[in-house]
Amino acid sequence: MEEKISRMRELVRILNEAGKAYYSESREIMSNFEYDRLYDELTALEKQTGVILSGSPTQKVGYEVLSALPKEAHETPMLSLDKTKERETLKEWLGTQKGLLSWKLDGLTIVLTYEDGVLAKAVTRGNGEVGEVITANAKTFVNIPLTIAYKGSLVLRGEAIITYPDFARINAEIADEDARYKNPRNLCSGSVRQLSSQITAERNVHFLAHALVKAEGVDFKNSRKEQFEWLKTQGFETVEYREVTADTIEAVVNEFEKRVATYEVPSDGLVLLLDDIAYGESLGRTAKFPRNAIAFKWEDETRETKLLYIEWSASRTGLINPVAVFEPVELEGTTVSRASVHNISVLESFELGEGDCITVYKANMIIPQIADNLTRSKSISIPKTCPVCGAATEIREVGEVRSLYCTNPECQAKKIKAFSLFVSRDALNIDGLSEMTLEKFIAAGFIHEFADIFQLPEHRDSIVQMEGFGERSFENLKEALDRASHTTMVRLLYGLGIAGIGLAGAKMLVRHFKGDLETMRRASKEELMEIDGIGEVLAEAWVSFWGDESNCQKVEHLLKVLTIEPMAQETEEQNLPLAGQVIVITGSLETFANRKELQEWIEERGGRVTAAVTQKTTCLINNNTASSSSKNKKARELGIPVLSEAEFLTQFSEGSEGTERDAD
């Protein structure tokens, strides 16, 4: 059974990679014949095992958008675990029992419920007593089985996680450094608790099971290990674990510890669980902790060092972050000399002063942090002026956290970061304007607001004299500005840097308001929150931005130097020839260079191209109309026409439709 499920996981991965290459990148990594062969193998395995894995190409999980996540109480409270940092304590705690030692995952705990073999419900841990229902989002996780062979009532717990490689990839796609995620756990939590399951699907969230709560009628032979192994037969990936006794546990802990630095899943320690189910449950629980398991936290390697000074780092949002600079020390195999102090509240709690003797460590063996201040001279003064522009600073309190901000809206630090986002690839996409070049132009007084970037050619004589610039560089810049001046509303909105409005948010707004900027900028918070994927925080940020008259003026100036090109979704779709048509494309093409070109042609005329054939599909385009491919089979089953490229163009092109209308 386990081998079959392992093969299914491999097939899902291979088929999805092939599908992505085929539909999104206009390239083929396998023939249609090979794809259909693997697809049929997966279908057969799903029937044999009774398991359908999340992401299986045989399924189409619909995306769901909610206005708010509903709350639900857990049947039994989800308690935290007691903790220790001592290996000897683990040995004493285990005694003569056999235990299971596993990673303590640093993600978001989720409770899954299956009824009649189907995923019925997914709820976050929440406060331990009440969680948030995220069932639609869980169905988009990379590896959660949507159906399982077991038909009884099943409840299990596990951790939703985003791996370090995926975390790095997602952050690398965000041009604005200030908008990047701080750690995988925060990214995972935000991804899982999205109101739009489509956004969750894009984040590559995994689920690792770590506790079976209920499985009616299954004999686990009084063993937690048997539960883990049984879950694997149902298609679940479980947390990695090892069997241990008091004699072997120290060596196994050491083995786990050696792997921390290279383990791709965020972990902040280990969990020791008693294998004997009945014995563990007989121990009961305290008010805070169950007694059948205990957590082991890595004992952080700390070093004493001397605090040299606090560096104040300004950001695009105006936030000024304190950073501790200290004499270099070796920690976990690397040399460190800096650590974030996060905010004024943390700075004050450590009572920091220059020359203080501090202890530092790496949180989760990765991120340098201050552990303690042994001297506590409390001599660090909070700057009254911004380190970049010299304007007055102010301390603002949000919740119970005090942070320092620059009050100058024209602060150069804000400008450089804002302009850097504005010229980035997904925004106006202006080649040749690096952050360093922008800094030079701002310092020279050439750029004060976004529109000034397109007036740079007026400063030709000065620019060609600058270090690193010459006639050729200037001409390249001028050409880049000419290209960028013809842009889209989506790029413009993203480039404005409105708090929280990323590329996806900009697309949602443009699509909803059909590209009408005047209507968009006057939209109320309530109107905005009715849009799929726009929550209260984003709505408030949008309203706040357009409520500032200076922002409105800057955008007006910008619109005078830009040509906003109409996009398919910004036009009146009902007046387009393919409005309302849902089309699937497969196979090689003859008239168009590739599927992407045909897709753009269809979308420009109001149609929509999807990957899978469903009841909503208008037609399937396949030059091999007699093919026995899975898509052709599906289309025939649903009574959907399979058209060749020529037949499609004859039936749906603007010319043919015009002829028919003229004839009428």
Side-chain angles (χ1 to χ4, degrees), residues 188-244:
C188 183
S189 178
S191 301
V192 170
R193 298 174 64 250
Q194 283 286 333
L195 297 179
S196 170
S197 59
Q198 183 169 5
I199 297 173
T200 306
E202 294 167 355
R203 300 289 173 79
N204 218 30
V205 180
H206 287 72
F207 175 85
L208 296 177
H210 57 57
L212 193 154
V213 179
K214 180 176 72 172
E216 296 174 346
V218 182
D219 180 10
F220 296 113
K221 302 173 185 175
N222 195 39
S223 169
R224 294 291 182 188
K225 178 187 175 184
E226 290 292 326
Q227 289 183 336
F228 276 118
E229 295 307 308
W230 181 81
L231 284 171
K232 291 178 183 178
T233 69
Q234 299 301 308
F236 296 98
E237 289 187 51
T238 68
V239 63
E240 180 187 340
Y241 71 90
R242 294 277 302 278
E243 291 182 83
V244 293

Side-chain angles (χ1 to χ4, degrees), residues 307 310 324 341 346-354 356 358 370 372-373 376-381:
L307 178 65
I310 294 292
V341 189
V346 174
L347 180 83
E348 292 174 338
S349 70
F350 280 125
E351 299 179 332
L352 294 171
E354 290 184 4
D356 279 355
I358 61 174
I370 295 176
D372 197 5
N373 180 9
R376 294 188 176 266
S377 67
K378 203 177 179 180
S379 62
I380 294 290
S381 57

Side-chain angles (χ1 to χ4, degrees), residues 334-386:
T334 61
T335 302
V336 296
S337 59
R338 300 164 63 86
S340 172
V341 189
H342 306 293
N343 51 56
I344 301 299
S345 296
V346 174
L347 180 83
E348 292 174 338
S349 70
F350 280 125
E351 299 179 332
L352 294 171
E354 290 184 4
D356 279 355
C357 179
I358 61 174
T359 56
V360 293
Y361 71 104
K362 280 188 177 180
N364 294 339
M365 298 186 171
I366 298 171
I367 305 168
Q369 301 279 289
I370 295 176
D372 197 5
N373 180 9
L374 306 179
T375 312
R376 294 188 176 266
S377 67
K378 203 177 179 180
S379 62
I380 294 290
S381 57
I382 299 169
K384 303 292 186 185
T385 58
C386 172

Side-chain angles (χ1 to χ4, degrees), residues 313-321 342 403-406 414:
S313 176
S315 70
R316 177 178 66 83
T317 61
L319 181 65
I320 303 175
N321 299 298
H342 306 293
S403 300
L404 187 67
Y405 286 84
C406 171
K414 296 180 185 179

